[in-house]
């Protein structure tokens, strides 16, 4: 039953988050050019790491476990009591992320369960009071910064632990008791105004105590069409976003505050767990697709639907070839490690990005003058003017036709080793590349084309 409800809610959520709402109002006075400049590093970075880590990592069966199993605070307490991340080594996380080719990271400072990985003055429900005994956010910030990565925080607008946070259709306590009477009864004594202040206080802590923060991910709003949803007015989103921008003027903020009617109510769209075909619909928009390795964000021991290396590459390439970013999630274990499945996936990404990175970073969709050859996807470096043919279907006989490319390019090489790829005109319009019959050692090899007129 609750599963069904969750599915319905998620469907409503995706409709709301991904449907084109015509934004008209404006909160600030930043021009398009200024926004582009502010977001330049992010647009060029293309690939980031999401990290969902919290008490739910101990339950190891979805970060929504408290909702899914409608657990009370008392029932959930054991995960707090047992939390002891003895293998937590954020320097290792940062090295793994960097090696995989990721340029930024976003860590759940607080997820829906309400537990804070940081040392907040405003709650006792925090890492410093567990066996970890320290501010895990600070260690993450220092470690990732030391690797030259940009730093992001995820902060959940929902809070299933705060005593003033009111009931709604996804609150764990509303999963068994969901009549209107229950709703009223459970809401007695709760005061969202106090909770809003709590959020402002914590966000102020996060944005003042840890130096420059590059990204803030505020999650999420579902007031439209839901019986008891929450959105802009519940969070005090306008005020919250103004506060964020005041505290960290350069920061990049996602679009889940429920401010879709404002052109500047969020910096980027957040298509979640969508397939490559869906991503194509975002071409030309500023977007970051967030994706898991498996079916859950938080560590899920028994979940085995892990995406393959090819699927992960496809998401990365398809995002870039439509002008967007990919943020790929790792759910560390309760001991504080990336498990072997995540590590394997990251290692294979490292192998690919190390060799083929130039076709990802600073890249976007290709100018219309170039057609996509069959069995490939294209990316394009807007600074160098070079074009990248991502060879999804490696031709058995080594012959790859570039339709309409005759006279348009002057050199071709593999990206991974800069070895020349010979080509010849096939007719007045088309070129034919001759690739080695043995496919290079990459799931999706990449050919770099230098167009005429480009250095
Ligand atoms: C959804 C889920 C949440 C996850 C997020 C990532 O909003 O509620 O568990 O953190 O998506 O995009």
């Amino acid at each position: 039953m609750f599963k069904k409800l969750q599915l319905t809610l998620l469907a409503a959520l995706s409709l709301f988050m991904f449907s084109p709402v015509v934004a008209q109002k404006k909160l600030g006075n930043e021009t398009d050019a200024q926004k582009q400049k502010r977001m330049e590093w992010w647009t060029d970075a293309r690939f980031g790491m999401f990290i969902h880590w919290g008490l739910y990592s101990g339950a190891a069966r979805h970060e929504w476990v408290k909702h899914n199993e409608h657990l009370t605070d008392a029932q959930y307490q054991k995960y707090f009591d047992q939390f002891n991340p003895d293998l937590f080594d954020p320097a290792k996380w940062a090295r793994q992320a960097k090696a995989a080719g990721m340029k930024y990271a976003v860590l759940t400072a607080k997820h829906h369960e309400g537990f804070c990985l940081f040392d907040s003055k405003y709650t006792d429900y925090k890492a410093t009071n567990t066996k970890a005994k320290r501010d895990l956010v600070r260690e993450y910030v220092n470690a990732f910064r030391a690797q030259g990565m940009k730093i992001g925080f995820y902060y959940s607008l929902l809070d299933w632990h705060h005593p003033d946070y009111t009931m709604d259709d996804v609150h764990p306590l509303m999963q068994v008791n969901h009549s209107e009477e229950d709703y009223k009864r459970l809401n007695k004594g709760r005061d969202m105004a106090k909770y809003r202040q709590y959020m402002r206080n914590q966000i102020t802590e996060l944005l003042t105590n840890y130096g420059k923060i590059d990204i803030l991910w505020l999650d999420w709003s579902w007031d439209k069409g839901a019986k008891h949803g929450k959105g802009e007015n519940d969070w005090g989103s306008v005020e919250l976003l103004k506060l964020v921008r005041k505290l960290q003027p350069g920061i990049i903020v996602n679009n889940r505050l429920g401010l879709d009617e404002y052109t500047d109510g969020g910096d980027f769209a957040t298509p979640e767990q969508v397939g490559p075909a869906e991503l194509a619909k975002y071409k030309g928009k500023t977007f970051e697709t967030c994706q898991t390795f498996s079916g859950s964000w938080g560590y899920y021991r028994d979940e085995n639907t892990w995406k393959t290396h090819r699927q992960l590459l496809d998401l990365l390439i398809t995002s870039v070839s439509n002008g967007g970013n990919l943020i790929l999630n790792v759910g560390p274990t309760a001991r504080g490690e990336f498990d072997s499945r995540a590590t394997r996936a990251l290692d294979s990404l490292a192998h690919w990005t190390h060799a083929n990175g130039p076709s990802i970073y600073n890249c976007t969709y290709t100018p219309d003058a170039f057609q996509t050859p069959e069995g490939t996807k294209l990316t394009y470096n807007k600074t160098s003017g070079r074009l990248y043919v991502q060879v999804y279907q490696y031709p058995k006989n080594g012959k790859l036709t570039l339709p309409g490319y005759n006279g348009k390019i002057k050199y071709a090489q593999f990206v991974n080793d800069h070895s020349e790829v010979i080509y010849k005109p096939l007719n007045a319009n088309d070129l034919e590349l001759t690739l080695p019959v043995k496919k290079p050692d990459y799931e999706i090899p990449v050919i770099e084309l230098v167009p005429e007129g480009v250095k």
Side-chain angles (χ1 to χ4, degrees):
M1 167 62 201
F2 54 82
K3 275 258 177 304
K4 226 192 255 160
L5 175 68
Q6 191 180 334
L7 283 180
T8 322
L9 285 164
L10 286 180
L13 163 71
S14 24
L15 247 182
F16 167 62
M17 283 194 295
F18 313 137
S19 61
V21 175
V22 190
Q24 274 155 350
K25 296 193 269 178
K26 228 177 154 193
L27 291 167
N29 51 14
E30 188 181 49
T31 64
D32 288 350
Q34 285 166 334
K35 177 178 175 185
Q36 208 178 327
K37 186 94 201 107
R38 174 168 58 85
M39 296 194 60
E40 200 168 26
W41 73 262
W42 182 89
T43 311
D44 291 347
R46 287 304 183 217
F47 191 22
M49 175 181 274
F50 223 156
I51 307 171
H52 277 66
W53 195 41
L55 299 181
Y56 46 80
S57 311
R61 50 184 192 278
H62 206 285
E63 77 284 357
W64 276 56
V65 61
K66 195 174 185 187
H67 158 103
N68 290 346
E69 299 177 11
H70 30 88
L71 305 176
T72 60
D73 284 349
Q75 288 168 320
Y76 205 74
Q77 184 59 26
K78 60 185 174 192
Y79 304 121
F80 182 93
D81 296 339
Q82 296 302 324
F83 189 66
N84 185 15
D86 59 338
L87 296 177
F88 176 56
D89 178 2
K92 190 170 171 204
W93 289 9
R95 282 196 302 274
Q96 285 185 269
K98 190 177 179 177
M102 293 151 162
K103 306 287 187 191
Y104 60 94
V106 177
L107 169 71
T108 51
K110 179 192 91 168
H111 202 263
H112 306 343
E113 64 179 2
F115 175 70
C116 298
L117 290 176
F118 62 108
D119 187 12
S120 169
K121 268 205 312 235
Y122 303 96
T123 185
D124 292 332
Y125 203 49
K126 56 182 176 182
T128 39
N129 290 337
T130 64
K131 294 193 167 75
K133 290 203 182 78
R134 56 206 208 275
D135 185 330
L136 302 169
V137 166
R138 185 168 304 286
E139 294 185 17
Y140 148 81
V141 169
N142 292 342
F144 278 71
R145 214 175 260 146
Q147 286 294 326
M149 313 234 345
K150 299 279 187 186
I151 306 298
F153 293 146
Y154 169 109
Y155 182 87
S156 172
L157 299 166
L158 290 76
D159 195 313
W160 297 334
H161 179 266
H162 197 283
D164 281 308
Y165 184 87
T166 55
M167 293 299 112
D168 52 46
D169 355 75
V170 299
H171 196 287
L173 294 178
M174 286 292 285
Q175 303 317 304
V176 252
N177 310 306
H178 42 231
S179 69
E180 282 308 296
E181 286 73 56
D182 291 327
Y183 179 76
K184 285 195 194 110
R185 177 177 53 82
L186 290 165
N187 264 344
K188 272 219 185 82
R190 291 176 182 261
D191 181 354
M192 270 305 269
K194 285 195 190 140
Y195 176 68
R196 276 192 289 278
Q197 189 53 47
Y198 175 75
M199 283 201 290
R200 285 193 292 268
N201 290 340
Q202 288 206 320
I203 286 174
T204 303
E205 292 183 308
L206 286 168
L207 300 186
T208 45
N209 296 345
Y210 300 88
K212 184 169 189 308
I213 302 306
D214 304 292
I215 303 169
L216 185 64
W217 240 90
L218 296 167
D219 201 30
W220 46 287
S221 303
W222 75 109
D223 51 341
K224 317 251 163 23
K227 190 162 159 218
H228 294 300
K230 283 197 175 80
E232 173 179 354
N233 296 328
D234 304 282
W235 315 134
S237 294
V238 169
E239 209 187 322
L240 203 54
L241 188 55
K242 284 187 176 162
L243 173 70
V244 168
R245 298 223 183 275
K246 190 177 91 197
L247 295 173
Q248 293 273 346
I251 203 164
I252 295 174
V253 186
N254 73 333
N255 73 336
R256 293 191 181 176
L257 272 162
L259 294 174
D260 291 6
E261 73 267 38
Y262 296 89
T263 47
D264 52 357
D267 291 321
F268 60 94
T270 53
E272 176 172 331
Q273 299 283 57
V274 302
E278 183 68 22
L279 283 180
K281 298 185 189 154
Y282 286 84
K283 184 173 169 183
K285 295 200 171 77
T286 309
F287 76 91
E288 171 191 77
T289 183
C290 45
Q291 305 272 345
T292 55
F293 280 142
S294 74
S296 161
W297 299 87
Y299 179 68
Y300 199 140
R301 184 190 59 206
D302 303 335
E303 213 285 329
N304 288 311
T305 61
W306 283 59
K307 293 184 179 90
T308 62
H309 175 54
R310 188 177 176 87
Q311 283 174 316
L312 296 174
L313 281 185
D314 190 16
L315 288 167
L316 178 61
I317 294 166
T318 308
S319 300
V320 177
S321 73
N322 288 294
N325 288 18
L326 167 67
I327 186 162
L328 194 53
N329 180 71
V330 182
T333 67
R335 293 190 75 182
E337 269 199 322
F338 298 170
D339 81 347
S340 57
R341 297 168 295 185
T343 296
R344 253 194 312 276
L346 291 168
D347 286 350
S348 50
L349 287 167
H351 173 69
W352 192 89
T353 55
H354 169 76
N356 300 297
S359 74
I360 297 297
Y361 312 114
N362 304 309
C363 287
T364 184
Y365 50 86
T366 311
D368 291 339
F370 296 98
Q371 277 183 55
T372 307
E374 218 181 297
T376 75
K377 287 187 183 175
L378 294 180
T379 58
Y380 168 75
N381 186 310
K382 57 189 190 310
T383 315
S384 75
R386 291 178 180 223
L387 214 68
Y388 297 93
V389 185
Q390 312 274 352
V391 187
Y392 275 63
Q393 284 162 37
Y394 200 81
K396 283 207 176 58
N397 61 1
K399 305 293 182 204
L400 180 68
T401 304
L402 304 181
Y405 283 60
N406 199 353
K408 287 192 186 153
I409 64 163
K410 64 177 192 196
Y411 194 72
Q413 61 184 2
F414 276 110
V415 181
N416 62 281
D417 60 359
H418 281 187
S419 62
E420 182 179 12
V421 175
I422 307 282
Y423 60 89
K424 61 169 201 255
L426 204 54
N427 53 49
N429 296 318
D430 310 329
L431 293 181
E432 184 184 77
L433 298 176
T434 301
L435 310 182
V437 175
K438 187 170 170 357
K439 178 179 154 180
D441 185 25
Y442 300 96
E443 179 61 37
I444 299 179
V446 186
I447 298 158
E448 183 176 61
L449 302 178
V450 188
E452 282 295 352
V454 159
K455 272 199 225 134

